[in-house]
Amino acid sequence: MPIATPASSDLIRRTFLEFFAQRGHEVVPSAPLVPQNDPTLMFVNAGMVPFKDVFTGKDRRPYQRAASSQKCIRISGKHNDLENVGVTARHQTFFEMLGNFSFGDYFKEDAIAFAWELLTKVYDISPSRLVVTIYNGEGGFPADDEAAAIWRKVTGFGDDRILRLGLADNFWTMGDVGPCGPCSEIHFFHGNEPDVARFGEEPRIDGTGWTEIWNNVFMQYERAEKDGPLVPLPAPSIDTGMGLERIASVLQGVTSNYDTDLLRGLVDRAAELSGKPYAGSNADDDVSMRVIADHARTTAFLIAEGVMPEKQRREYVLRRVMRRAIRHGHRLGIDRPFLHEVALEVVRRMGETYPELRDRRELIARVTEDEEVRFRTTLKRGMKILDERFDEMRSSGEKTLPAAAAADLYTTYGFPLDLTQVICNESAFNVDVQGAEAIIRGAGEADGPIDPNAAVDSAHRDARAKLAQPVVFTGYEHEEGDSEVVAIIRVEVQGEGDRARKVRALVEHAEAGQAVEVVVRETPFYAESGGQVGDVGEVTADGARVEVTDTQKPLAGLVVHEGVVREGKIAVGQRVRLAVDHAARSATRRNHSATHVLHWALRKVLGEHAQQKGSRVGPDMLRFDFTHNRPLTREEISQIEDLVNEKVLTNAKVTTEIMPMEEARRRGAMAIFEEKYGDTVRMLTMTPEVVELCGGTHARALGDIGLFKITSEGGVAAGVRRIFASTGLNALAYARGVEAELARARQVAKAQGGDLAEKIGKIVAHERELEKKVAELERRILEGAGPAQGGGGGIDAMLEGAREIGGIKVLARRVPDGTNPGALRDLAEKLRDKLGDRAAVLLGAAVGDKAQLAVMVSKSATERVKAGELIKPIARIVGGSGGGRPDMAQAGGTDVAQLDAAIAATYVEVERALAS
């Protein structure tokens, strides 16, 4: 029976899930937005993501059909809708994806029939407003004529309504390898009379035109290796996705997603807060209201999942979204914190469907408001500076904000670079974005995303104001030098744990025991930048000594020597001696120079795609991240080590030159950190093949690096690998540690010469054999076949305690303590089978200080009693949790004293399950 229209989004969602539940699909709740155990994604961006391992065969579920309404965010990586949000009628950062899935069960015929029935019979959409697309065959993939034939049969459409599109539109792949297949989209026409001739055009700004509403992916092939042949999957699968917002716009008779009940209430709240009417146009004010509505949803849902606005990765993305919404509120004239009020409207409207919003209502409000209060201070200051700069640019006829000015806004005031770009565009100016990013990286931000929260402490700004010019770095040539103290910043830590924060204040002098940051006019100390850690050492004067534990560059032109006054008193205006720790600097030099040779070796062995993605070098650390899509083999690691060590043995001199960037590029320098000195760069030449730009400190000659040894290699993100390595004395210490470990292993294994591996193999094999014997003895004791029953009483004796409840034989009992979970599960299975066709068995045992439980239910009884549900309340009695399939479940708990009570509760819980 068709649903009544206009239908609420709740009814549309519920109808979708019920439709597929009636057709044998397991309705699966939405997974979290933050992917579980998937480092390749920032956020869940499609309905199939939680089932990715099911499709690839890594995971198995107790069902072969599923349906869900999945929370999704598209704001990073390949799927990034941020710039289109509020501008088009259909883009959001947050949306819900309705989907039905088949894991080797039904295929094209049923998927197409289900989709058509739901859209035209249940949702009552006129077929005259629909067209479908199929894959036309190209790039070595065959055309999907099978889908075309099914569509003709199901819909009665001719070829004019079954459109054939290419690889980019109608063929889906999970990646370079893995499952893939053609897809078929269903498109709806918004507007008066459907016009097939307009298909392929982008919908108009008001949303009229053809819009995709549902995509059916037919996973029928697999590619085992990149660019390899397609092999038919033995069990083809189905993955479909239909945006709830898009189908809601169809069923609610509107042309924009922002006019559906999912978003219009939030748009109206933004309009109310601004005191301006919403006209539904593409005027700036209306775009801003739509942006706020969308971003408030993303804000509320991410905070509800524990993502806080911070500096890195997901936290950074959230902060960017929030500050973008706040900026649009500022543009609307909202002069007070408001985003938390729109976020609370999200909670009110969606909290029933997503209880986590309700449960974390106060957290959402507090975090959102606090972030806005902080950012409004930054926004006000940055806008004032930009307005003054714009006046100067108009007077001089300039059209582009210089890179240095944009970078200074960020490094000094924490004003986001992307926001500077937006404001400049609105005022008809451009920004040198690439130049600004290079300066920011040169200021020490190369290892992470540009951080819009980089607020500068006022004490640092005041210290910088005392300098007539930037602090001069003399450390390329010297490790010691004299200078004058220009400023002293006393540092105190207030609060504890996560709430601890540094409070800084300018002082005229500091005495023994006080933590300080010392500023001088020139210094041989290298401030942390470009992946190289800050130098350590000493600052001394008459009767005074400061132990320097780090050197930092909190803002452009300022270097601070962080440490503690160990002796005497240090004062502003005093002449001091600065001495870098020679051993630490030398070790850092070795490691830093080695990263450049390593970079060359990686490209030589793996290919030019192996580009640096970040590094960290210090006296005892060499970490190097690079782009590559698979683990290195042992042979590749050996090749890389050989190449680096061969270069080291040449003892080639390391030379540096200061030159214009363009000249450095002409001479083949590879830009990594691009340390800028005005319009110049520092070019480092180690060999004719190793020429890079770098502002760090380096070895005098390659021979200084000493032995180079890779100590580990692994993945850190999709397509990014990480190497840890050692050089010089650190590499020697590593080698000696490995030798010592081998010596201990030989001693334990009683091995001589080169037979250690053989000895260990025999020990492992013997241990496995013993484990099998122990498991067999445990099983025989539990089943009553051994010489000692251990309290088990044998299987037949155990069966005597079974009770019949509602036609199901139920047995619950405790078995000997120490029984491992595997044996517990096996025995429960045997007892269930012995009891007959309709049975449920729960066994419990104490293993150390933990209680272990196992439940087995006959498949014929799972319609009435499900093992995964039965075990949950029982597990809570022993202070634990558990779950599993309808026919098998396991659990553990920490309250062993309640184990007998938990086992006894089984009968009550079975009665409760049957009654419900």
Side-chain angles (χ1 to χ4, degrees):
M1 180 178 177
I3 62 172
T5 55
S8 70
S9 56
D10 286 340
L11 177 60
I12 295 168
R13 185 194 300 111
R14 186 169 66 250
T15 300
F16 179 92
L17 297 175
E18 289 175 352
F19 176 87
F20 284 100
Q22 291 162 6
R23 287 153 183 79
H25 292 66
E26 180 82 10
V27 175
V28 180
S30 174
L33 284 164
V34 177
Q36 306 298 298
N37 304 315
D38 188 346
T40 68
L41 290 175
M42 187 83 78
F43 303 107
V44 169
N45 57 20
M48 63 78 62
V49 170
F51 303 107
K52 187 192 279 189
D53 286 346
V54 184
F55 284 120
T56 58
K58 295 178 183 177
D59 185 23
R60 289 187 178 275
R61 302 285 176 94
Y63 46 79
Q64 288 185 286
R65 300 180 175 199
S68 68
S69 180
Q70 173 63 44
K71 300 178 293 184
C72 298
I73 284 180
R74 289 186 178 175
I75 199 170
S76 58
K78 174 184 173 184
H79 298 292
N80 187 347
D81 292 338
L82 185 61
E83 297 307 320
N84 289 321
V85 170
V87 178
T88 74
R90 66 188 190 282
H91 284 98
Q92 297 95 43
T93 56
F94 174 91
F95 62 99
E96 293 180 69
M97 184 70 85
L98 303 172
N100 59 289
F101 309 91
S102 166
F103 313 118
D105 187 359
Y106 63 85
F107 199 44
K108 294 180 187 178
E109 190 156 0
D110 284 337
I112 290 172
F114 288 155
W116 193 250
E117 181 184 2
L118 179 62
L119 290 178
T120 62
K121 304 299 183 187
V122 179
Y123 286 159
D124 200 25
I125 298 173
S126 171
S128 67
R129 289 189 169 272
L130 300 174
V131 297
V132 298
T133 67
I134 62 161
Y135 179 58
N136 69 358
E138 61 180 53
F141 303 96
D144 195 2
D145 293 327
E146 180 188 8
I150 297 170
W151 277 116
R152 279 193 290 269
K153 173 184 169 185
V154 170
T155 66
F157 282 175
D159 288 344
D160 61 324
R161 305 291 290 278
I162 302 173
L163 309 176
R164 293 174 179 258
L165 300 181
L167 200 64
D169 297 299
N170 278 98
F171 198 92
W172 179 90
T173 61
M174 188 174 284
D176 291 332
V177 297
C180 57
C183 57
S184 181
E185 298 169 345
I186 304 171
H187 293 250
F188 176 87
F189 187 85
H190 283 287
N192 295 324
E193 290 299 319
D195 182 4
V196 178
R198 283 181 57 187
F199 186 86
E201 297 177 6
E202 277 293 308
R204 291 172 182 165
I205 217 72
D206 61 1
T208 60
W210 291 101
T211 300
E212 176 199 341
I213 58 172
W214 203 345
N215 188 17
N216 286 257
V217 176
F218 309 130
M219 293 190 200
Q220 63 187 100
Y221 304 110
E222 184 174 33
R223 195 193 292 276
E225 58 186 35
K226 186 178 180 182
D227 299 325
L230 292 180
V231 179
L233 284 171
S237 298
I238 292 291
D239 156 30
T240 85
M242 176 164 60
L244 177 60
E245 291 78 3
R246 292 198 184 190
I247 190 63
S249 71
V250 172
L251 298 180
Q252 293 174 12
V254 296
T255 58
S256 169
N257 294 358
Y258 290 90
D259 288 330
T260 67
D261 63 350
L262 288 159
L263 284 157
R264 183 55 189 263
L266 304 177
V267 173
D268 290 342
R269 185 73 179 112
E272 178 186 351
L273 289 166
S274 70
K276 297 180 177 181
Y278 175 68
S281 71
N282 229 44
D284 288 346
D285 284 353
D286 289 347
V287 169
S288 290
M289 293 173 195
R290 292 193 290 266
V291 169
I292 291 167
D294 171 80
H295 289 9
R297 292 211 299 177
T298 299
T299 296
F301 275 91
L302 285 179
I303 294 173
E305 287 196 15
V307 179
M308 300 293 119
E310 287 289 353
K311 300 180 180 181
Q312 298 293 327
R313 289 180 57 76
R314 297 181 180 98
E315 292 79 5
Y316 168 72
V317 173
L318 172 59
R319 169 162 280 158
R320 184 182 179 198
V321 167
M322 295 176 72
R323 293 189 166 189
R324 197 167 182 269
I326 295 163
R327 155 68 183 143
H328 277 276
H330 184 273
R331 194 167 78 172
L332 284 168
I334 305 175
D335 58 2
R336 62 177 180 82
F338 72 94
L339 186 59
H340 65 288
E341 296 187 44
V342 189
L344 287 176
E345 186 68 14
V346 176
V347 175
R348 189 181 73 80
R349 290 174 171 272
M350 304 188 74
E352 185 169 346
T353 304
Y354 295 103
E356 66 268 24
L357 294 173
R358 261 192 336 234
D359 296 343
R360 296 168 180 83
R361 182 183 187 278
E362 299 306 318
L363 178 68
I364 291 168
R366 178 173 59 79
V367 170
T368 305
E369 186 173 15
D370 289 350
E371 176 66 10
E372 183 164 0
V373 168
R374 283 192 298 269
F375 182 56
R376 278 185 172 270
T377 302
T378 298
L379 186 63
K380 184 177 180 181
R381 185 186 301 136
M383 291 290 292
K384 183 175 183 293
I385 293 171
L386 279 173
D387 286 340
E388 292 171 354
R389 190 61 188 251
F390 291 162
D391 288 341
E392 296 173 7
M393 291 169 68
R394 290 186 187 99
S395 300
S396 63
E398 292 178 75
K399 292 295 183 183
T400 300
L401 183 71
D408 185 61
L409 275 168
Y410 167 71
T411 56
T412 305
Y413 301 102
F415 200 78
L417 184 56
D418 58 349
L419 187 52
T420 297
Q421 190 175 6
V422 169
I423 295 169
C424 285
N425 290 341
E426 290 174 356
S427 299
F429 293 110
N430 300 316
V431 188
D432 182 1
V433 176
Q434 288 185 335
E437 288 177 341
I439 294 172
I440 291 166
R441 284 195 298 272
E445 299 295 333
D447 280 347
I450 293 175
D451 169 25
N453 188 44
V456 177
D457 195 294
S458 60
H460 289 147
R461 284 198 295 270
D462 294 342
R464 175 66 179 86
K466 290 178 176 289
L467 290 162
Q469 62 181 21
V471 173
V472 176
F473 176 58
T474 61
Y476 291 133
E477 297 82 20
H478 308 288
E479 291 183 358
E480 295 188 12
D482 298 322
S483 190
E484 176 190 349
V485 177
V486 176
I488 298 172
I489 301 170
R490 186 183 65 232
V491 183
E492 295 180 348
V493 177
Q494 295 184 355
E496 297 180 354
D498 293 340
R499 295 185 175 275
R501 64 188 185 95
K502 290 182 177 180
V503 177
R504 297 177 174 87
L506 281 178
V507 295
E508 289 300 309
H509 59 81
E511 300 180 347
Q514 291 184 321
V516 293
E517 294 175 353
V518 179
V519 179
V520 296
R521 297 193 185 281
E522 54 271 331
T523 179
F525 282 73
Y526 183 84
E528 181 172 337
S529 180
Q532 179 176 327
V533 302
D535 277 331
V536 298
E538 288 186 341
V539 177
T540 56
D542 292 338
R545 181 173 69 89
V546 177
E547 179 187 356
V548 178
T549 56
D550 197 2
T551 308
Q552 290 291 324
K553 191 189 296 181
L555 74 159
L558 179 68
V559 173
V560 297
H561 305 78
E562 299 180 359
V564 177
V565 181
R566 294 301 183 191
E567 300 173 14
K569 183 171 76 171
I570 188 168
V572 172
Q574 195 172 19
R575 294 292 297 178
V576 292
R577 181 75 175 169
L578 299 103
V580 174
D581 185 307
H582 174 72
R585 165 71 77 82
S586 297
T588 300
R589 285 177 184 268
R590 287 193 290 269
N591 283 336
H592 201 161
S593 295
T595 63
H596 292 275
V597 186
L598 171 61
H599 193 197
W600 163 78
L602 284 165
R603 299 196 309 278
K604 185 86 171 173
V605 173
L606 305 177
E608 287 300 317
H609 70 275
Q611 298 290 320
Q612 179 172 337
K613 294 296 288 183
S615 70
R616 182 80 171 168
V617 292
D620 54 1
M621 171 184 280
L622 189 168
R623 188 193 78 204
F624 191 88
D625 296 348
F626 61 99
T627 51
H628 194 55
N629 59 6
R630 59 173 174 79
L632 301 189
T633 64
R634 183 65 257 172
E635 291 74 19
E636 287 170 336
I637 290 175
S638 295
Q639 280 183 272
I640 292 162
E641 289 176 334
D642 289 347
L643 285 171
V644 173
N645 284 300
E646 286 169 8
K647 287 291 184 188
V648 169
L649 289 173
T650 66
N651 198 31
K653 184 180 178 182
V654 177
T655 62
T656 57
E657 300 171 81
I658 305 298
M659 64 183 66
M661 169 64 82
E662 288 306 313
E663 182 182 346
R665 284 176 174 158
R666 280 197 301 271
R667 289 171 61 174
M670 174 169 282
I672 301 171
F673 299 124
E674 293 190 5
E675 292 286 343
K676 287 245 181 183
Y677 304 90
D679 294 324
T680 63
V681 294
R682 187 168 184 260
M683 190 176 82
L684 183 76
T685 303
M686 295 182 169
T687 71
E689 303 92 346
V690 185
V691 182
E692 298 185 345
L693 302 181
C694 182
T697 59
H698 287 279
R700 307 296 183 192
L702 290 184
D704 295 351
I705 294 172
L707 174 64
F708 172 85
K709 185 78 181 84
I710 294 175
T711 56
S712 71
E713 187 272 339
V716 292
V720 180
R721 309 294 298 174
R722 172 171 290 174
I723 279 175
F724 283 97
S726 293
T727 64
L729 295 176
N730 290 335
L732 180 61
Y734 173 79
R736 285 175 175 166
V738 172
E739 286 177 342
E741 187 69 20
L742 282 171
R744 285 193 294 272
R746 284 197 182 95
Q747 186 177 12
V748 171
K750 296 182 173 59
Q752 300 294 326
D755 66 344
L756 177 61
E758 182 182 349
K759 283 274 190 179
I760 291 175
K762 289 179 179 178
I763 292 170
V764 171
H766 182 60
E767 182 181 9
R768 287 174 180 162
E769 186 63 31
L770 289 176
E771 287 174 350
K772 289 180 182 177
K773 290 180 179 179
V774 169
E776 176 62 18
L777 284 172
E778 283 185 346
R779 184 188 65 77
R780 296 181 66 192
I781 290 171
L782 285 170
E783 295 177 8
Q789 305 302 315
I795 282 183
D796 292 337
M798 290 183 187
L799 294 174
E800 293 173 2
R803 305 180 194 174
E804 186 162 325
I805 303 174
I808 297 176
K809 292 180 180 176
V810 183
L811 175 66
R813 61 179 299 144
R814 184 168 181 166
V815 298
D817 292 343
T819 301
N820 68 64
L824 197 68
R825 186 177 61 245
D826 292 343
L827 180 58
E829 186 176 12
K830 282 186 169 67
L831 289 168
R832 179 199 65 190
D833 294 344
K834 282 270 190 180
L835 283 172
D837 191 36
R838 297 174 67 78
V841 174
L842 179 139
L843 298 182
V847 182
D849 59 353
K850 299 285 175 63
Q852 295 288 341
L853 300 168
V855 174
M856 290 286 176
V857 178
S858 303
K859 288 193 180 295
S860 58
T862 55
E863 289 183 4
R864 304 183 67 198
V865 178
K866 289 180 171 56
E869 297 300 319
L870 176 63
I871 205 168
K872 290 177 182 177
I874 298 170
R876 284 196 288 269
I877 297 173
V878 292
S881 61
R885 305 193 307 260
D887 62 329
M888 188 277 286
Q890 289 182 280
T894 57
D895 193 352
V896 177
Q898 294 298 315
L899 181 57
D900 290 331
I903 293 168
T906 302
Y907 301 103
V908 175
E909 292 301 332
V910 170
E911 288 177 348
R912 184 174 289 128
L914 293 174
S916 62

